[in-house]
């Protein structure tokens, strides 16, 4: 092109650009505006890149092309990141039909799965796998061998179901692990790793929970004021015109409808007139009834625990007697939350406030049950510690007499063959017993949860769906109707299940793996149950800051879970013949041993000064 043609073309491009910027103000019909705008944009895109100055025109065209490709890459990468978020589409589908409150539970479940996956990597990577690869093989020591009197039934299903037999003497539990200071050609310090990982589980969990609460608080404070013209905005700006899938369009339609219900409920609650005296009386009455239920639940747990201590001293006890504590605790966790919700209907709180009250009451119920269970375990541990002194003397005396005795065969003294590990007397190993109880309680809780969903939601929905045509009344509108998703019960179930995992993982490292499988199957199973068997709540509401409320409950249960573990580490002597800390007076002695043998003297002196209670207590108070 000549220079004159270049100047003329540049003028035309500038005119087209000016037309594009001012076309809104032109007094033309919309059809004409769109046609002219489209032609002008095509002209500018075609010739603008060729109008660079001198030799730079090719570079300019290349730069424009790369800028467009970069924008497209960023958009595609954002879509890819969204697609890589686990279960994102499932949760969005649930949210569109049931509202953000139900979706917040599944978001919380996904977050818990991620945390447990990290804890699983820590325990299996630094404790379980080193023991399997570098520790003593199975059957080489009494702690890794089934006793002779249990060998006949060690593989029975009923025994394995109670996590006895071969399961009890496996890597799942504390007693399997080695007490040698170093193992394998790597000289891996297993006792030190076991202790540090056990403490690190609580440290990592505390850091993640607090960081998540802080990020949620920052997100909530950044929200603008959307109270003005709320319904108008929802009416005219809610639809997404990029949707091209009919199923996605149905989900979006349901989501918009649900958001209108949420806003209507919020508006009604803000303008509601109520009889304050009647409301106060009903709320006091509801709290009195719930306190009575909590006291009755505590007494029932106390009674059952006392019975279980009697059953433990008996022989030929049936399956129900062996599992009575777990069954009663699971049934209380299943039936008390619906009872609390029924009582809470007379209080007439806003649904979001009612949810928090319900969460607090179920929290008190589960906390009482859990600590009653822990007190029962501590009584059992004290009995086991009392038995250990006698068993310890018998074990040492048996081994001494056996290996120091000689037999006279043909006039020569010979040493007897080595004593088989299954025949060696052994102590009760209270740490493994505590781990077994936590694993059994977790497994029974999983089964009760899944059976409740299957029977209480799915079979109930099938009955209502197929029997409604031939019944005397409308089953969908009346009794039994379709079930609503119990947000408070499911959230508290997750929180207290995680509390049991935190407490039990120190005594049963395999418990984390069981919990990862539980959370993985729960996501698919509960998403299916919600979409197939549940109906939205009659009073749909926004989740608002519920996620931080869940995190607050999780932080509290983390602190309460740390107390029993810290007590056993600092106060109780470990078993003398099982576990990585056997042979020590206290479990934390492994830290002192490491400082004395592996650190220079001045470093050990500094660390000992830091461990002074005069510094630790102020630090704990500052953290609190």
């Amino acid at each position: 092109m000549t220079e004159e043609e270049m100047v003329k073309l540049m003028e035309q491009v500038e005119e087209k650009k000016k037309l594009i910027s001012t076309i809104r103000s032109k007094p033309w019909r919309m059809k004409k505006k769109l046609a002219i705008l489209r032609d002008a944009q095509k002209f500018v895109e075609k010739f603008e890149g060729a109008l660079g100055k001198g030799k730079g025109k090719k570079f300019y065209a290349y730069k424009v092309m790369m800028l467009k490709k970069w924008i497209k890459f960023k958009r595609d990468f954002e879509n890819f990141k969204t697609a890589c978020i686990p279960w994102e589409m499932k949760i969005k589908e649930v949210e569109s039909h049931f509202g953000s409150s139900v979706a917040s539970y599944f978001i919380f479940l996904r977050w818990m799965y991620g945390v447990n996956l990290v804890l699983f990597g820590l325990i299996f990577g630094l404790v379980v796998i080193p023991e399997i690869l570098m520790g003593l093989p199975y059957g080489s020591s009494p702690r890794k061998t089934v006793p002779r009197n249990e060998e006949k039934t060690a593989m029975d299903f009923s025994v394995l179901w109670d996590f006895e037999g071969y399961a009890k003497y496996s890597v799942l539990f504390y007693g399997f692990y080695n007490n040698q200071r170093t193992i394998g050609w790597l000289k891996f310090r297993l006792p030190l790793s076991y202790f540090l990982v056990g403490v690190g589980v609580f440290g990592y969990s505390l850091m993640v929970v607090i960081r998540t609460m802080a990020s949620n608080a920052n997100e909530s404070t950044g929200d603008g004021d959307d109270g003005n013209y709320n319904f108008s905005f929802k009416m005219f700006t809610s639809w997404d015109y990029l949707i091209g899938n009919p199923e996605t369009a149905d989900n979006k339609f349901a989501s918009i409808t649900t958001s209108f219900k949420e806003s209507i409920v919020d508006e009604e609650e803000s303008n509601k007139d109520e009889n304050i005296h009647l409301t106060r009386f009903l709320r006091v009455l509801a709290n009195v009834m719930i306190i009575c239920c909590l006291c009755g639940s505590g007494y029932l747990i106390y009674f059952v625990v006392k019975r279980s201590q009697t059953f433990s001293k008996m022989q030929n006890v049936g399956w129900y007697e062996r599992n009575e504590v777990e069954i009663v605790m699971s049934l209380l966790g299943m039936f008390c939350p619906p009872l609390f919700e029924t009582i809470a209907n007379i209080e007439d709180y806003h649904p979001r406030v009612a949810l928090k009250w319900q969460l607090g009451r179920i929290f008190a119920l589960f906390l009482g049950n859990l600590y009653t269970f822990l007190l029962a375990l501590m009584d059992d541990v004290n009995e086991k510690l009392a038995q250990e002194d006698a068993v310890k003397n018998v074990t040492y005396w048996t081994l001494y007499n056996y290996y120091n005795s000689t037999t006279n065969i043909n006039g020569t003294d010979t040493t007897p063959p080595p004593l088989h590990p299954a025949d060696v007397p052994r102590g009760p190993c209270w740490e493994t017993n505590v781990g077994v109880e936590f694993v059994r309680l977790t497994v029974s809780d999983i089964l009760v949860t899944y059976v409740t969903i299957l029977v209480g939601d799915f079979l109930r929905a099938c009955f209502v769906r197929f029997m409604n045509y031939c019944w005397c009344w409308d089953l969908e509108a009346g009794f039994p109707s379709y079930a609503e998703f119990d947000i408070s019960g499911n959230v508290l179930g997750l929180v207290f299940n995680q509390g049991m995992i935190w407490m039990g993982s120190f005594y049963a490292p395999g418990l984390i793996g069981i919990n990862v499988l539980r959370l993985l199957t729960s996501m698919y199973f509960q998403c299916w149950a919600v979409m197939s068997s549940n109906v939205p709540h009659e009073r749909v509401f926004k989740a608002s800051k519920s996620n931080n409320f869940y995190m607050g409950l999780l932080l509290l249960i983390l602190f309460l879970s740390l107390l029993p573990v810290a007590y056993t580490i600092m106060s109780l002597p470990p078993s003398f013949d099982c576990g990585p800390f056997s042979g020590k007076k206290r479990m934390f002695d492994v830290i002192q041993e490491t400082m004395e043998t592996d650190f220079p003297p001045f470093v050990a002196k500094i660390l000992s000064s830091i461990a002074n209670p005069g510094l630790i207590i102020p630090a704990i108070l500052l953290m609190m």
Side-chain angles (χ1 to χ4, degrees), residues 220-234 237 259 262-263 266-267 352 542 544:
S220 63
T221 54
D223 296 338
D225 183 13
D226 58 351
N228 295 328
Y229 313 111
N230 190 20
F231 292 98
S232 297
F233 282 133
K234 288 184 184 296
T237 64
S259 68
E262 293 175 344
S263 299
D266 287 343
E267 193 71 20
R352 196 180 303 121
K542 295 179 182 178
S544 186

Side-chain angles (χ1 to χ4, degrees), residues 57 85 120 175 205 295 304 322 413 455 476 546 558 570 572 589:
K57 60 183 181 181
I85 299 176
F120 174 81
S205 302
C295 294
V304 171
R322 291 198 308 270
D413 293 337
V455 176
E476 294 183 358
S546 295
L558 173 61
M570 304 298 292
L572 298 181
D589 287 347

Side-chain angles (χ1 to χ4, degrees), residues 443-502:
V443 172
S444 67
D445 181 62
I446 294 172
L447 293 178
V448 169
T449 302
Y450 287 0
V451 170
T452 303
I453 293 174
L454 193 62
V455 176
D457 291 348
F458 180 68
L459 295 183
R460 173 180 171 182
C462 290
F463 176 79
V464 172
R465 173 69 177 84
F466 294 108
M467 298 299 294
N468 192 38
Y469 301 103
C470 56
W471 208 257
C472 304
W473 64 84
D474 188 354
L475 295 177
E476 294 183 358
F479 180 81
S481 73
Y482 294 107
E484 295 180 352
F485 184 78
D486 183 14
I487 303 172
S488 53
N490 281 283
V491 167
L492 264 298
L494 267 185
V495 169
F496 273 88
N497 172 72
Q498 189 60 38
M500 288 190 293
I501 301 303
W502 280 325

Side-chain angles (χ1 to χ4, degrees), residues 558-609:
L558 173 61
F559 174 71
L560 296 174
S561 302
L562 177 60
L563 294 180
V565 178
Y567 172 76
T568 58
I569 289 175
M570 304 298 292
S571 301
L572 298 181
S575 298
F576 75 95
D577 64 342
C578 74
F581 309 113
S582 56
K584 297 180 174 60
K585 293 183 179 180
R586 294 291 185 270
M587 294 181 182
F588 65 87
D589 287 347
V590 67
I591 300 294
Q592 185 176 358
E593 179 187 52
T594 303
M595 289 192 298
E596 292 175 354
T597 57
D598 295 335
F599 287 92
F602 73 93
V603 176
K605 186 176 181 180
I606 293 174
L607 294 176
S608 299
S609 302

